Amino acid sequence: MVSDAEQAAGAFYGDHGPLCVLAAAVTVLASIFLAAIEYFKPVGKRRAKNGTLPKLPPGPAGVPILGTLATSLKRPPEPPSNPFQQLNSLAQYGEMATVHIGSKTWIFLNSKRVVAEIIAKRGSATNQRTPMPVSSGIISHGDRRTVLMMQEDWAEPRRVMHSLLTGSQMRQYGEWQELESTQMMAEYLLKPELWHRHHYRYANSVVHRIALGERLAKSTRELEDMQNCVNIFVGNIGTSIVDWLPELARLPRWLQPWRPHWERLEQWNFRVYSEWWVPTRDKVLAGTAPPSFVRDTLLHPDTKYKGSDEDAMYVAMQLIEAGSDTTREALNILVMAALEYPEPFAKARAEVDRVCGVGAEARLPTLADMDSLGYIGAMAKEGLRWHPIFNTTPDHAASKDVEFEGYYFPTGVGFVINQVLVCNECENPEAFVPERWMDGHELDITHGLWQFGGGRRICVGYRLAQRSLFINIARLVQSFNFEANGPYNPKILNLESTGEPFPVKVSIRNEHYAKLIMAEAEKAGVVEDAKMARDKL
Ligand code: HEM
C-alpha cells in the first residue's frame, strides 16, 4: 500500500524530474569541489597538529585550490625596466609575505633580518624542502636531486658532501683551481671572443676534477649535454602543476598522464650522467683512480656512501652540476659589471698591481694573495649582490611548528629568501659598489650575503666558489680589458645561454701580460690543452 507522502513524492519527482537530476548533479559537483578545496588546502591554512590555527604574515590573495598558481606558472612578461616585478611587489607586505601556491604555502623573506632569524637562527627547524614530485622526483630519478631533497633523503648526501666545506682538502683543491685558472687565462689570450666558453670550461673542469679526479676532457657535445641537463632541471623546477599540488602524485600511475613526458627527460638525463660516472667508478673499483671526492669519500671504505650505485652517481654528478653553472654565471656577471662600471675594475687592477707587480715585473696572483687583495673579495660579493644568480633560493620548509614575532607557522610551510629584495637592501642598490663590502668580512662570502642560502642547507661549495671567483677576478682584472662590442641591456644577462650572453670585446692589457700568461701556462703544462680547447670551440 502506497502512503500519502510517497504518492506526493512520486508526483513531485514526476513533475520535476530533470530539475531533481540537475540538483543532484550540482550537489555532487559542489561536494567534490568542497572536498577538493579541503584536500588541497594550503599547508598554511591548515591547523597545526596541536590544533593551533596558523597566524601568517599578509600576502596576495589567490583563488580556491590554485592560490596564486595561475600567475606563478604563467607569469606575465616582466618589463626590462623592472625585471622581477612580482618579487619586488612583495615588498608591500613588509618583511615577510605569505603566498599560497596550489597546496603549498611559502613565506617570502624580504629582509636580511628575517632571513637571519628564520633560516639561520631557527635552522634546525627550517631545513626541510617541500615535496616536488616532478622536479625532485621523476626528473631526478626519484627524489635524488640534492638541492631539492627532502630532509630524510638528504642527510646521507649531505654527510658525504660536507668534506667539501672542511679545510683539509682545500689546499689540494686550490692547486687545481690555480691550474685551471692559468689555462683559462691562456684560452682568453688565444680566443678572446669565446670568453664565456672559457668560464664554463674552467668552472666545469675544477669541479669535475674535485668530484671525479680528472681534468675535463670532454667533447663539445658532452659539455653541452651536461649544461642542458642543468638547464632542463632548473628550467623545469615548478613548471608542472604536480609540483604545486603534490597530492596529485598519490593518484594511481595510470591517472598521471604527465609522467611519460617527465620520465623521458629523466631517462635522457640518466644516460648523460652515466657517461660521465661509469668510467670513474670503474677506475675507483679497479684501484687505478686518481684522488677525488668519489675515490676518497663517496666510495672510500671508511666514509662510503650508504646508498645504491645510482644514488652515489646522482650525488657526484649533481656536485658537478651545482658547482659549474653557478661559477660560470658569477664570472659572466663580473664581466657585465666590467662593462658598466670601469672604475671599480681600475681600482681592482691597481690593487693587484700593488701586490703582484707591474709590467715586466708582474706575476700572476695566486690564492695565497687572498688576504692582501680584499677588494677582489669584495668584488665577488658585490657581483652576486648586484645581479643575484638566484632570485629566490630553494625553500626551507618547517620540520616543526615555528613561532616568530607573533606569527605561528605550522609544520610544512616553506620559507623562501626573496633575493631580489634582500640583495637590494642597501644604499644605491642599482650600482656596482664593492666598497660596501669592505667591512673586514670581504673574504667571507656568506657574511651578509645570502646567495648561497643559509642554515643547515647552506651551499656545500661556497668556499670553493669563493676561491674560484677570487683567483679568476684577480687575474682577469690584472691582464685583460673589457669593452662592449655592440648594444646590450645590462639588466638582461642571458645566463642560461650557451652562446655569448652579451657582446664583449676582450683585449690583453699589453705584451708583458701576454708573455706572463703564456710563460705561466707553459710552466703549468696547459698550453697544449688551452690550444686544444681553442681549436675545438
Ligand atoms: C657562485 C656560486 C654558487 C652559488 C651562488 C650557489 C648557491 C647555492 C644555493 C642558493 C644553494 C641552496 C642553499 C639553501 O637551500 O639554503 C646551494 C646548494 C648547493 N650547492 Fe651551491 N652555489 C654555488 C657554487 C657551488 C659549488 C662550486 C658547488 C660544488 C662544488 C655547489 C654545490 C651545491 C650543492 C651540492 C648544494 C645542495 C646542498 C644541500 O641541499 O645540502 N655550489 N648552492
Side-chain angles (χ1 to χ4, degrees):
M1 196 149 150
V2 181
S3 71
D4 288 351
E6 282 167 333
Q7 267 184 0
F12 177 83
Y13 285 119
D15 292 348
H16 299 90
L19 211 60
C20 292
V21 172
L22 189 66
V26 168
T27 310
V28 169
L29 283 178
S31 311
I32 292 175
F33 184 63
L34 290 175
I37 288 184
E38 197 49 37
Y39 188 64
F40 292 115
K41 189 185 260 183
V43 178
K45 290 187 178 171
R46 297 178 200 166
R47 273 180 195 277
K49 281 198 187 107
N50 63 7
T52 311
L53 265 179
K55 189 162 182 300
L56 306 178
V63 297
I65 301 182
L66 296 181
T68 59
L69 188 58
T71 36
S72 304
L73 279 184
K74 224 179 173 210
R75 287 191 191 164
E78 296 182 299
S81 57
N82 186 11
F84 321 120
Q85 204 172 23
Q86 294 204 346
L87 287 172
N88 272 316
S89 73
L90 294 178
Q92 66 186 289
Y93 302 104
E95 285 187 274
M96 292 186 280
T98 301
V99 181
H100 301 292
I101 316 177
S103 59
K104 293 191 174 190
T105 299
W106 273 2
I107 312 299
F108 281 80
L109 305 175
N110 296 336
S111 76
K112 289 183 200 171
R113 189 187 75 83
V114 292
V115 173
E117 290 289 341
I118 300 283
I119 301 293
K121 286 194 195 153
R122 288 162 184 75
S124 61
T126 57
N127 61 13
Q128 261 285 11
R129 302 275 194 227
T130 59
M132 291 229 152
V134 170
S135 309
S136 67
I138 308 176
I139 317 184
S140 306
H141 202 65
D143 238 7
R144 293 192 193 121
R145 213 79 180 206
T146 48
V147 181
L148 296 182
M149 265 181 177
M150 306 279 286
Q151 189 186 18
E152 57 269 22
D153 311 303
W154 156 81
E156 180 58 6
R158 183 80 194 190
R159 178 187 69 78
V160 282
M161 288 188 305
H162 201 75
S163 65
L164 296 170
L165 271 182
T166 53
S168 57
Q169 283 155 342
M170 281 294 153
R171 184 193 296 272
Q172 173 69 81
Y173 298 156
E175 282 171 20
W176 293 342
Q177 285 173 304
E178 284 177 351
L179 179 117
E180 296 298 348
S181 166
T182 304
Q183 180 170 329
M184 187 175 104
M185 293 303 121
E187 287 166 351
Y188 248 79
L189 190 65
L190 295 168
K191 203 90 176 172
E193 65 278 19
L194 288 178
W195 57 275
H196 54 288
R197 297 289 305 170
H198 308 324
H199 294 171
Y200 184 55
R201 193 213 56 80
Y202 166 84
N204 205 301
S205 194
V206 163
V207 73
H208 184 272
R209 184 145 189 199
I210 290 170
L212 305 184
E214 283 172 5
R215 299 198 63 216
L216 189 68
K218 297 282 177 195
S219 66
T220 306
R221 198 267 303 158
E222 286 170 313
L223 285 178
E224 277 177 5
D225 276 353
M226 181 54 81
Q227 197 169 348
N228 284 333
C229 279
V230 183
N231 289 347
I232 287 172
F233 169 56
V234 176
N236 280 303
I237 294 176
T239 56
S240 162
I241 193 167
V242 186
D243 277 348
W244 300 107
L245 296 168
E247 294 78 6
L248 290 172
R250 293 194 207 129
L251 290 169
R253 283 177 82 92
W254 58 272
L255 278 177
Q256 298 186 36
W258 54 84
R259 287 194 78 92
H261 167 70
W262 300 112
E263 281 170 352
R264 272 195 301 279
L265 277 181
E266 182 270 318
Q267 283 154 10
W268 175 78
N269 192 143
F270 186 83
R271 240 189 352 263
V272 174
Y273 274 14
S274 303
E275 275 181 22
W276 292 51
W277 163 255
V278 171
T280 302
R281 182 208 52 198
D282 290 353
K283 279 188 201 155
V284 172
L285 297 180
T288 56
S292 71
F293 166 74
V294 170
R295 192 194 80 171
D296 303 326
T297 307
L298 201 61
L299 301 182
H300 192 278
D302 295 344
T303 48
K304 196 167 167 22
Y305 181 72
K306 297 184 190 73
S308 67
D309 179 65
E310 282 179 7
D311 286 354
M313 170 174 90
Y314 271 77
V315 173
M317 295 311 298
Q318 284 165 36
L319 213 55
I320 296 181
E321 261 188 11
S324 27
D325 234 40
T326 40
T327 309
R328 169 188 75 85
E329 291 181 11
L331 289 172
N332 286 3
I333 289 167
L334 264 299
V335 171
M336 171 70 88
L339 304 186
E340 288 286 291
Y341 291 90
E343 295 92 48
F345 281 77
K347 190 167 170 184
R349 178 176 282 181
E351 186 175 277
V352 174
D353 286 352
R354 181 178 52 77
V355 173
C356 302
V358 189
E361 304 301 314
R363 62 169 175 84
L364 287 186
T366 67
L367 288 170
D369 295 316
M370 210 138 65
D371 289 340
S372 324
L373 294 173
Y375 195 73
I376 305 293
M379 285 177 91
K381 290 180 86 168
E382 180 63 351
L384 291 170
R385 184 211 65 79
W386 180 62
H387 256 299
I389 291 181
F390 293 99
N391 300 317
T392 56
T393 23
D395 60 359
H396 285 221
S399 53
K400 54 183 178 193
D401 299 348
V402 174
E403 283 184 84
F404 173 62
E405 297 186 350
Y407 293 115
Y408 194 89
F409 302 103
T411 308
V413 159
F415 295 96
V416 175
I417 306 177
N418 185 345
Q419 299 278 1
V420 171
L421 293 177
V422 167
C423 287
N424 281 343
E425 208 185 4
C426 57
E427 217 176 283
N428 194 10
E430 293 282 304
F432 179 85
V433 184
E435 285 74 6
R436 65 173 101 243
W437 297 103
M438 297 297 287
D439 56 0
H441 298 286
E442 50 273 18
L443 295 172
D444 176 357
I445 202 158
T446 59
H447 189 272
L449 180 75
W450 294 96
Q451 270 294 286
F452 295 90
R456 307 236 171 139
R457 303 295 295 232
I458 195 165
C459 169
V460 291
Y462 78 80
R463 286 188 209 278
L464 290 168
Q466 192 271 341
R467 291 154 75 86
S468 274
L469 295 181
F470 171 82
I471 190 74
N472 288 310
I473 298 169
R475 291 177 170 191
L476 288 172
V477 299
Q478 179 191 40
S479 294
F480 292 97
N481 300 321
F482 295 90
E483 298 161 65
N485 200 21
Y488 68 95
N489 180 339
K491 295 202 187 262
I492 301 179
L493 276 106
N494 297 318
L495 287 179
E496 59 298 324
S497 154
T498 50
E500 189 179 38
F502 43 90
V504 181
K505 181 164 177 273
V506 178
S507 53
I508 186 78
R509 181 173 173 186
N510 62 41
E511 265 315 295
H512 289 303
Y513 293 89
K515 274 196 202 134
L516 170 66
I517 288 172
M518 287 320 282
E520 287 297 322
E522 197 81 57
K523 226 190 301 165
V526 294
V527 173
E528 287 314 308
D529 289 328
K531 283 187 184 157
M532 210 165 68
R534 176 195 59 168
D535 294 341
K536 248 196 275 169
L537 290 166

